[in-house]
Amino acid sequence: MRLRTLSLAAASGTALLAAGLLPAHASAAAPKSAQEGTVSAADLLAKVTSCSQISSGKYKTDEETSATVPVCGKNGAVFWKADMDIDCDGQRTTNCNEDRDPWFQADTAFHQSDGKPLKAETLPYVVVPSTSGIWNYSNAGIKGGGVVAVIYNNKVEYAVVGDTGPSQIIGEASYATAKALGIDPDPATGGADSGVTYILFKNSKVSPIESHSAAVSLGDQLAKQFLASN
């Protein structure tokens, strides 16, 4: 999870540029990603054009912004539309560690089948807000390892619920999720300011949680059910 501010993130980027240490991928062209599953982004987005708010209040997308993002309910799912901050927590890897991420934490709320934290660099996962008076994700049928369809720029990436974040902020996913969607995954300077839709399928669970292929398979199945029931 991250507790960053917009000004701090900007300052970090400036410092990296000044020192000539900005990672090569941060300025490179966004990586290409194939559509995952058989359900199109357009078909999924057509089902989430209106919001039936289920959260008691709304969330901020960053510490310095106002609270504008509700959690919305649909048959078989909840969703929100927000930005994407980059979560690089969990096991230390080449791009996710204390040197690359000012907010790095060596753990995630949910763990692999072997008990180790998740790998943000290689596993697409989404961060849900910690339980608060605004919303309790577990009461809504959302659990660790649950399937999430993340949609950005007409692409669908299937991820799992892998970590929890600040109780009043929403819109965060792992390094791997961002990279697959063509979003700059740099934990200090990357992310997307807006345009990301997160559809979380209720009472779903990928086993083992670290199997991305299992998430895609189950996600495609649940996405088809979602279209049929909404």
Side-chain angles (χ1 to χ4, degrees):
M1 74 184 75
R2 55 89 181 90
L3 288 168
R4 69 190 63 181
T5 65
L6 296 177
S7 58
L8 181 55
S12 298
T14 301
L16 285 168
L17 283 169
L21 297 176
L22 192 63
H25 65 71
S27 59
K32 294 182 179 180
S33 171
Q35 165 78 30
E36 286 195 332
T38 61
V39 179
S40 71
D43 285 346
L44 287 171
L45 291 175
K47 299 295 184 179
V48 294
T49 55
S50 60
C51 175
S52 176
Q53 183 171 331
I54 62 170
S55 55
S56 297
K58 296 182 179 181
Y59 288 95
K60 301 177 179 182
T61 56
D62 290 287
E63 288 182 347
E64 297 178 356
T65 61
S66 56
T68 59
V69 179
V71 176
C72 312
K74 299 290 285 189
N75 290 328
V78 303
F79 75 92
W80 55 81
K81 299 180 181 183
D83 64 344
M84 183 184 288
D85 291 317
I86 309 302
D87 189 320
C88 234
D89 294 342
Q91 296 187 47
R92 291 176 177 84
T93 57
T94 301
N95 287 300
C96 288
N97 53 61
E98 295 90 340
D99 294 332
R100 295 293 296 274
D101 182 3
W103 308 275
F104 178 78
Q105 297 181 42
D107 199 6
T108 49
F110 307 106
H111 292 166
Q112 295 180 163
S113 55
D114 62 3
K116 295 180 181 179
L118 303 180
K119 284 186 180 180
E121 184 171 348
T122 57
L123 180 68
Y125 71 72
V126 165
V127 180
V128 296
S130 295
T131 296
S132 71
I134 301 176
W135 184 55
N136 183 325
Y137 65 87
S138 60
N139 287 349
I142 305 304
K143 61 185 73 175
V147 183
V148 188
V150 188
I151 306 165
Y152 179 77
N153 197 23
N154 295 315
K155 295 177 182 177
V156 179
E157 174 72 8
Y158 288 105
V160 293
V161 175
D163 204 0
T164 57
S167 61
Q168 297 184 348
I169 296 176
I170 206 165
E172 187 176 6
S174 69
Y175 183 106
T177 310
K179 186 175 181 180
L181 289 168
I183 295 171
D184 180 359
D186 185 89
T189 60
D193 291 334
S194 62
V196 185
T197 299
Y198 303 81
I199 302 175
L200 293 76
F201 299 108
K202 296 179 180 178
N203 302 310
S204 62
K205 189 166 186 177
V206 174
S207 184
I209 189 174
E210 66 268 21
S211 173
H212 181 57
S213 61
V216 174
S217 178
L218 181 57
D220 193 50
Q221 175 186 337
L222 293 173
K224 291 175 183 177
Q225 294 178 8
F226 179 73
L227 294 185
S229 61
N230 287 281

